[in-house]
PDB file of all heavy atoms in Angstrom:
ATOM      1  N   THR J  79      25.430 -28.386  29.944  1.00 72.00           N
ATOM      2  CA  THR J  79      26.242 -27.586  28.931  1.00 72.00           C
ATOM      3  C   THR J  79      25.434 -27.089  27.815  1.00 72.00           C
ATOM      4  O   THR J  79      25.983 -26.495  26.907  1.00 72.00           O
ATOM      5  CB  THR J  79      27.394 -28.503  28.440  1.00 72.00           C
ATOM      6  OG1 THR J  79      26.856 -29.616  27.886  1.00 72.00           O
ATOM      7  CG2 THR J  79      28.307 -28.864  29.563  1.00 72.00           C
ATOM      8  N   GLN J  80      24.112 -27.322  27.784  1.00 81.00           N
ATOM      9  CA  GLN J  80      23.339 -26.738  26.756  1.00 81.00           C
ATOM     10  C   GLN J  80      23.339 -25.273  26.624  1.00 81.00           C
ATOM     11  O   GLN J  80      23.134 -24.619  27.617  1.00 81.00           O
ATOM     12  CB  GLN J  80      21.859 -27.212  26.783  1.00 81.00           C
ATOM     13  CG  GLN J  80      21.067 -26.921  25.652  1.00 81.00           C
ATOM     14  CD  GLN J  80      19.619 -27.558  25.772  1.00 81.00           C
ATOM     15  OE1 GLN J  80      19.467 -28.523  26.441  1.00 81.00           O
ATOM     16  NE2 GLN J  80      18.707 -26.926  25.094  1.00 81.00           N
ATOM     17  N   PRO J  81      23.615 -24.724  25.506  1.00 90.00           N
ATOM     18  CA  PRO J  81      23.689 -23.176  25.436  1.00 90.00           C
ATOM     19  C   PRO J  81      22.321 -22.530  25.816  1.00 90.00           C
ATOM     20  O   PRO J  81      21.225 -23.108  25.503  1.00 90.00           O
ATOM     21  CB  PRO J  81      23.994 -22.936  23.922  1.00 90.00           C
ATOM     22  CG  PRO J  81      24.553 -24.232  23.371  1.00 90.00           C
ATOM     23  CD  PRO J  81      23.859 -25.324  24.203  1.00 90.00           C
ATOM     24  N   PRO J  82      22.499 -21.317  26.274  1.00 94.00           N
ATOM     25  CA  PRO J  82      21.170 -20.577  26.672  1.00 94.00           C
ATOM     26  C   PRO J  82      20.321 -20.420  25.479  1.00 94.00           C
ATOM     27  O   PRO J  82      20.912 -20.260  24.307  1.00 94.00           O
ATOM     28  CB  PRO J  82      21.658 -19.298  27.304  1.00 94.00           C
ATOM     29  CG  PRO J  82      23.061 -19.591  27.697  1.00 94.00           C
ATOM     30  CD  PRO J  82      23.581 -20.588  26.700  1.00 94.00           C
ATOM     31  N   VAL J  83      18.963 -20.369  25.549  1.00 94.00           N
ATOM     32  CA  VAL J  83      18.032 -20.172  24.346  1.00 94.00           C
ATOM     33  C   VAL J  83      17.303 -18.935  24.655  1.00 94.00           C
ATOM     34  O   VAL J  83      16.934 -18.595  25.761  1.00 94.00           O
ATOM     35  CB  VAL J  83      17.223 -21.342  24.109  1.00 94.00           C
ATOM     36  CG1 VAL J  83      18.001 -22.592  23.808  1.00 94.00           C
ATOM     37  CG2 VAL J  83      16.289 -21.613  25.334  1.00 94.00           C
ATOM     38  N   ALA J  84      16.938 -18.262  23.461  1.00 95.00           N
ATOM     39  CA  ALA J  84      15.949 -17.148  23.542  1.00 95.00           C
ATOM     40  C   ALA J  84      14.545 -17.634  23.435  1.00 95.00           C
ATOM     41  O   ALA J  84      13.689 -16.986  24.015  1.00 95.00           O
ATOM     42  CB  ALA J  84      16.317 -16.133  22.442  1.00 95.00           C
ATOM     43  N   ALA J  85      14.301 -18.708  22.758  1.00 95.00           N
ATOM     44  CA  ALA J  85      13.044 -19.277  22.537  1.00 95.00           C
ATOM     45  C   ALA J  85      13.128 -20.756  22.146  1.00 95.00           C
ATOM     46  O   ALA J  85      14.134 -21.278  21.704  1.00 95.00           O
ATOM     47  CB  ALA J  85      12.238 -18.466  21.538  1.00 95.00           C
ATOM     48  N   LEU J  86      12.038 -21.502  22.491  1.00 95.00           N
ATOM     49  CA  LEU J  86      11.894 -22.764  21.996  1.00 95.00           C
ATOM     50  C   LEU J  86      10.621 -22.883  21.086  1.00 95.00           C
ATOM     51  O   LEU J  86       9.528 -22.324  21.493  1.00 95.00           O
ATOM     52  CB  LEU J  86      11.772 -23.827  23.103  1.00 95.00           C
ATOM     53  CG  LEU J  86      12.998 -24.071  23.931  1.00 95.00           C
ATOM     54  CD1 LEU J  86      12.569 -24.932  25.137  1.00 95.00           C
ATOM     55  CD2 LEU J  86      14.034 -24.879  23.087  1.00 95.00           C
ATOM     56  N   VAL J  87      10.708 -23.441  19.909  1.00 96.00           N
ATOM     57  CA  VAL J  87       9.648 -23.644  19.042  1.00 96.00           C
ATOM     58  C   VAL J  87       9.350 -25.092  19.000  1.00 96.00           C
ATOM     59  O   VAL J  87      10.001 -25.881  18.265  1.00 96.00           O
ATOM     60  CB  VAL J  87       9.913 -22.978  17.695  1.00 96.00           C
ATOM     61  CG1 VAL J  87       8.689 -23.160  16.730  1.00 96.00           C
ATOM     62  CG2 VAL J  87      10.255 -21.505  17.809  1.00 96.00           C
ATOM     63  N   ASP J  88       8.242 -25.557  19.636  1.00 94.00           N
ATOM     64  CA  ASP J  88       8.065 -27.120  19.820  1.00 94.00           C
ATOM     65  C   ASP J  88       9.366 -27.681  20.186  1.00 94.00           C
ATOM     66  O   ASP J  88       9.612 -28.823  19.683  1.00 94.00           O
ATOM     67  CB  ASP J  88       7.569 -27.647  18.449  1.00 94.00           C
ATOM     68  CG  ASP J  88       6.011 -27.680  18.382  1.00 94.00           C
ATOM     69  OD1 ASP J  88       5.424 -27.295  19.430  1.00 94.00           O
ATOM     70  OD2 ASP J  88       5.484 -28.208  17.388  1.00 94.00           O
ATOM     71  N   GLY J  89      10.110 -27.183  21.140  1.00 93.00           N
ATOM     72  CA  GLY J  89      11.255 -27.814  21.630  1.00 93.00           C
ATOM     73  C   GLY J  89      12.436 -27.525  20.904  1.00 93.00           C
ATOM     74  O   GLY J  89      13.562 -27.911  21.195  1.00 93.00           O
ATOM     75  N   SER J  90      12.280 -26.924  19.679  1.00 95.00           N
ATOM     76  CA  SER J  90      13.477 -26.586  18.834  1.00 95.00           C
ATOM     77  C   SER J  90      14.113 -25.290  19.222  1.00 95.00           C
ATOM     78  O   SER J  90      13.378 -24.179  19.249  1.00 95.00           O
ATOM     79  CB  SER J  90      13.083 -26.549  17.346  1.00 95.00           C
ATOM     80  OG  SER J  90      14.111 -26.136  16.449  1.00 95.00           O
TER      81      SER J  90
END
Side-chain angles (χ1 to χ4, degrees):
T79 59
Q80 184 175 339
V83 298
L86 289 173
V87 182
D88 264 3
S90 176

